[in-house]
């Protein structure tokens, strides 16, 4: 698969480097925007000099490599390109939960198939991401429609971190600045993200779904129609769980998050448990205080991720139902914190957090 990824690098003004190489372009104090061409088919080209990097060093090895200064290109003109057989994209992340964003406003069907999305999400042979998100035309009086394919090719109803990235992507596509909100149609219903003055995105996630049959879960309801602090046998071990849907299913369990918790081992056992006919996301949560929770997550269709927005929302709902926390909490995830509020007056949940550009790119399909 030929991939052209676009990023911004600060390097010393080298013009060519041949033979197998390993370098850190961020060590130089001088700044030159470069194009790095890899054999056989990988190109990294700068489009914007202000893209932030959380990991300021990396290594590249290649048998031959050329570095040259490209012509300046704006992100707008890049995203406006239309080439047959080429997919232009922008990679975003929300607290490390990363996505490939595709401008799909010209069609009601995604430009690529679930199988193609799975290949693009591969972190060794593709671009690398937790999912591919498509910005499609709105429907039912909404401004836009958001669809997402997970890294395993499945399609979830919604994604909390993804919808924040979606909002920032739309603002860039439409050249919007300052505070803006959008009505977004998703598989979980209407979602309303609002870009705030500080660049963060607050999202009205709607009301949580607690009725056991609608989560869905086969566990019997034990608190009105909800499953709250119910026993679940997972491979011979009993866990106390609370089940919540944010338009997608979540199973939340509280305890002490230990480093020895093996998500890769225990996560799939929850995800594919017979009590969750649509599979489930699973949150392992530690209560630090009534307003501070720590969470690790196994996402349905994506595995262990650095953050899960709907999972953070479900966690606060579960904590309130179990009497462990208040309705306004900071939820710490491996990728960083989210601010979650479950308002009593309208039963809606509000999530606030960042969404940032990683790089721009193109891939031959």
């Amino acid at each position: 698969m030929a991939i052209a990824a676009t990023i911004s690098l600060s390097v010393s003004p080298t013009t060519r480097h041949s033979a197998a190489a390993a370098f850190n372009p961020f060590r130089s104090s001088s700044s030159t925007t470069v194009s790095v061409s890899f054999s056989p088919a990988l190109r990294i080209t700068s489009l914007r000099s202000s893209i932030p990097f959380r990991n300021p060093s990396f290594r590249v090895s290649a048998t031959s490599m050329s570095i040259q200064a490209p012509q300046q290109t704006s992100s707008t003109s890049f995203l406006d390109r239309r080439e047959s057989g080429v997919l232009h994209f922008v990679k975003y992340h929300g607290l490390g939960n990363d996505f490939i964003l595709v401008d799909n406003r010209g069609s009601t069907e995604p430009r690529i198939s679930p199988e193609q999305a799975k290949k693009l999400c591969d972190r060794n042979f593709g671009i690398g991401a937790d999912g591919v998100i498509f910005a499609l035309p709105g429907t039912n009086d909404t401004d836009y429609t958001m669809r997402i394919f997970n890294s395993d090719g499945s399609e979830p109803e919604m994604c909390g971190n993804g919808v924040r990235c979606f909002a920032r992507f739309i603002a860039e596509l439409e050249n919007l600045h300052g505070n803006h909100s959008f009505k977004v149609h998703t598989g979980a219903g209407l979602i309303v993200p609002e870009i705030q003055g500080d660049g963060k995105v607050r999202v009205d996630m709607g009301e949580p779904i607690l009725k056991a049959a609608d989560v869905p879960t086969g566990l019997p309801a034990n608190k009105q129609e909800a499953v709250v602090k119910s026993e679940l046998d997972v491979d011979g071990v009993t866990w106390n769980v609370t089940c919540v849907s944010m338009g997608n299913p979540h199973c939340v369990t509280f305890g002490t998050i230990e480093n020895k918790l093996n998500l890769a081992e225990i996560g799939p056992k929850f995800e594919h448990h017979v009590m969750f006919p649509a599979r489930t996301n699973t949150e392992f949560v530690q209560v630090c205080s009534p307003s501070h929770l720590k969470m690790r997550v196994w996402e349905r269709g994506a595995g262990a991720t650095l953050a899960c927005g709907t999972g953070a929302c479900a966690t606060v709902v579960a904590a309130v139902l179990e009497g462990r926390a208040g309705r306004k909490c900071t939820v710490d995830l491996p990728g960083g914190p989210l601010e979650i509020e479950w308002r009593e007056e309208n039963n809606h949940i509000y999530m606030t957090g960042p969404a940032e550009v990683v790089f721009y790119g193109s891939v031959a399909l």
Side-chain angles (χ1 to χ4, degrees), residues 33-228:
T33 302
V34 301
S35 170
V36 185
S37 298
F38 296 86
S39 178
L42 175 65
R43 175 179 296 170
I44 301 176
T45 308
S46 170
L47 292 177
R48 174 179 287 189
S49 60
S50 61
I51 299 173
F53 280 83
R54 292 196 177 276
N55 299 313
S57 63
F58 62 89
R59 295 173 67 84
V60 178
S61 296
T63 18
S64 65
M65 177 171 60
S66 63
I67 303 177
Q68 59 189 22
Q71 296 179 349
Q72 291 295 317
T73 310
S74 73
S75 61
T76 303
S77 64
F78 172 77
L79 292 170
D80 284 342
R81 294 177 186 174
R82 294 291 182 269
E83 300 171 51
S84 178
V86 176
L87 181 73
H88 299 295
F89 65 89
V90 184
K91 184 171 177 179
Y92 279 80
H93 81 87
L95 299 180
N97 199 188
D98 56 343
F99 305 95
I100 299 162
L101 275 293
V102 177
D103 181 5
N104 213 121
R105 293 171 297 168
S107 172
T108 57
E109 290 298 320
R111 292 187 59 194
I112 61 173
S113 67
E115 188 60 32
Q116 287 174 308
K118 182 178 178 179
K119 291 178 180 178
L120 292 181
C121 289
D122 190 293
R123 297 190 183 277
N124 295 304
F125 298 100
I127 299 164
D130 292 321
V132 180
I133 295 176
F134 306 90
L136 299 102
T139 183
N140 298 329
D141 296 322
T142 60
D143 300 310
Y144 305 96
T145 296
M146 172 180 136
R147 289 182 63 181
I148 176 171
F149 293 151
N150 282 326
S151 57
D152 70 349
S154 62
E155 183 172 2
E157 297 86 351
M158 219 281 289
C159 174
N161 288 314
V163 78
R164 296 200 316 277
C165 295
F166 182 93
R168 291 291 301 271
F169 182 54
I170 289 297
E172 181 166 18
L173 290 176
E174 304 286 6
N175 197 27
L176 302 175
H177 304 279
N179 291 46
H180 286 278
S181 64
F182 315 100
K183 292 187 293 182
V184 181
H185 175 74
T186 74
L190 175 66
I191 300 294
V192 184
E194 178 186 358
I195 300 175
Q196 300 182 316
D198 60 2
K200 291 184 178 180
V201 182
R202 186 182 72 170
V203 186
D204 180 350
M205 300 288 287
E207 300 184 48
I209 298 168
L210 301 177
K211 187 177 179 180
D214 295 336
V215 170
T217 178
L219 289 169
N222 60 355
K223 188 173 183 179
Q224 297 178 344
E225 295 183 295
V227 175
V228 179

